[in-house]
Amino acid sequence: MFIRTSGCNLRCSWCDTPYASWEPEGDRHTIDGIIARVKTYSSAKHVVLTGGEPMIAKDIRLLASDLKALGYHITIETAATIAPEAIVCDLVSMSPKLLNSAPDSIKFGPWRKKHEATRWQPEVIRTWLDNGYGYQFKFVISQPGDIEEMQGMVKSLQRDIPNSKILLMPEGITQEAIKSRGLWLSEQCKKFGYRYANRLHIELYGNKRGT
Ligand code: SF4
């Protein structure tokens, strides 16, 4: 089950969920209402809290603890700019954004400034790591030079992070873009022992909302 919250504190240039970020939309739901909906999928035991940025959603900690009490496995997909503050989850999938995510400085000047000031929060990431959460990193890669930038960021965290916990995802919302980046990116994954994060939903359905 994917629960997508609407609203984000970043504005990535290549964001593929603008309805949860650049132009947020959606309906309001109570926690009880969300849980009742989750329960209708009786065979689903895994819940992913995603966004937008789920960590800025009101009462996200309450939702997570209620789901956990019901026995669900919880993954949180976050850009890792907000500290956990005791949220419960089994896996935090942290996706800090690289320079390639910055919105155009002429068209989106104020947002570019905010985005650049927010996207990389090493202290916040250390808090997630040091509090014993199960974790992985996922970086969106546009060009070969991004790998060096990503490696510098990981190193600056000064924690022992195995390469097997780092997933690299080719940026792109078409099969062609994913394939052309995937060809060199998968070689880099093999070289360094990173995991290649395929965009299966794009391959199967195209860039279609709800998939
Ligand atoms: S963090 Fe995610 S939801 Fe927010 S702007 Fe970037 S890609 Fe979009």
Side-chain angles (χ1 to χ4, degrees):
M1 292 287 305
F2 281 79
I3 299 174
R4 187 184 297 287
T5 64
S6 189
C8 188
N9 57 349
L10 297 179
R11 290 293 183 275
C12 302
S13 57
W14 37 252
C15 179
D16 62 355
T17 53
Y19 47 89
S21 174
W22 284 91
E23 291 158 1
E25 54 182 88
D27 302 321
R28 291 189 182 276
H29 297 275
T30 62
I31 289 183
D32 287 348
I34 294 170
I35 287 177
R37 181 89 181 269
V38 168
K39 282 180 174 171
T40 63
Y41 296 85
S42 55
S43 60
K45 299 293 174 232
H46 289 69
V47 176
V48 180
L49 303 178
T50 188
E53 174 49 74
M55 292 300 294
I56 63 170
K58 185 174 176 288
D59 290 341
I60 192 71
R61 289 168 183 78
L62 201 54
L63 175 62
S65 63
D66 283 1
L67 287 167
K68 189 69 195 158
L70 291 167
Y72 290 99
H73 178 284
I74 300 171
T75 299
I76 298 178
E77 293 190 329
T78 175
T81 60
I82 309 283
E85 289 174 19
I87 194 166
V88 290
C89 75
D90 300 281
L91 174 69
V92 57
S93 184
M94 293 186 274
S95 184
K97 300 301 183 280
L98 306 183
L99 188 55
N100 68 29
S101 65
D104 186 273
S105 58
I106 296 176
K107 264 164 100 181
F108 309 108
W111 257 115
R112 179 168 175 120
K113 270 192 196 154
K114 276 191 218 169
H115 180 94
E116 282 305 280
T118 310
R119 70 178 168 84
W120 176 234
Q121 302 289 335
E123 278 307 321
V124 169
I125 296 174
R126 283 188 205 107
T127 309
W128 283 98
L129 295 174
D130 295 347
N131 277 280
Y133 287 94
Y135 73 92
Q136 64 183 25
F137 284 94
K138 187 178 76 184
F139 292 94
V140 177
I141 302 293
S142 299
Q143 55 208 347
D146 292 348
I147 293 179
E148 206 175 317
E149 183 189 347
M150 175 277 292
Q151 289 169 331
M153 289 161 76
V154 171
K155 194 171 173 201
S156 75
L157 291 170
Q158 299 179 308
R159 296 294 184 273
D160 186 20
I161 296 162
N163 285 357
S164 60
K165 284 195 177 280
I166 297 177
L167 290 85
L168 302 185
M169 174 184 275
E171 185 240 309
I173 52 172
T174 63
Q175 289 194 13
E176 295 71 35
I178 292 167
K179 188 172 177 195
S180 72
R181 290 192 171 107
L183 284 170
W184 51 261
L185 184 56
S186 57
E187 291 304 317
Q188 293 298 304
C189 289
K190 284 191 270 183
K191 180 177 168 188
F192 290 104
Y194 301 131
R195 287 152 63 198
Y196 180 78
N198 203 14
R199 309 207 73 205
L200 183 61
H201 57 300
I202 301 277
E203 273 179 26
L204 294 179
Y205 308 106
N207 187 29
K208 218 163 136 195
R209 196 165 161 172
T211 61

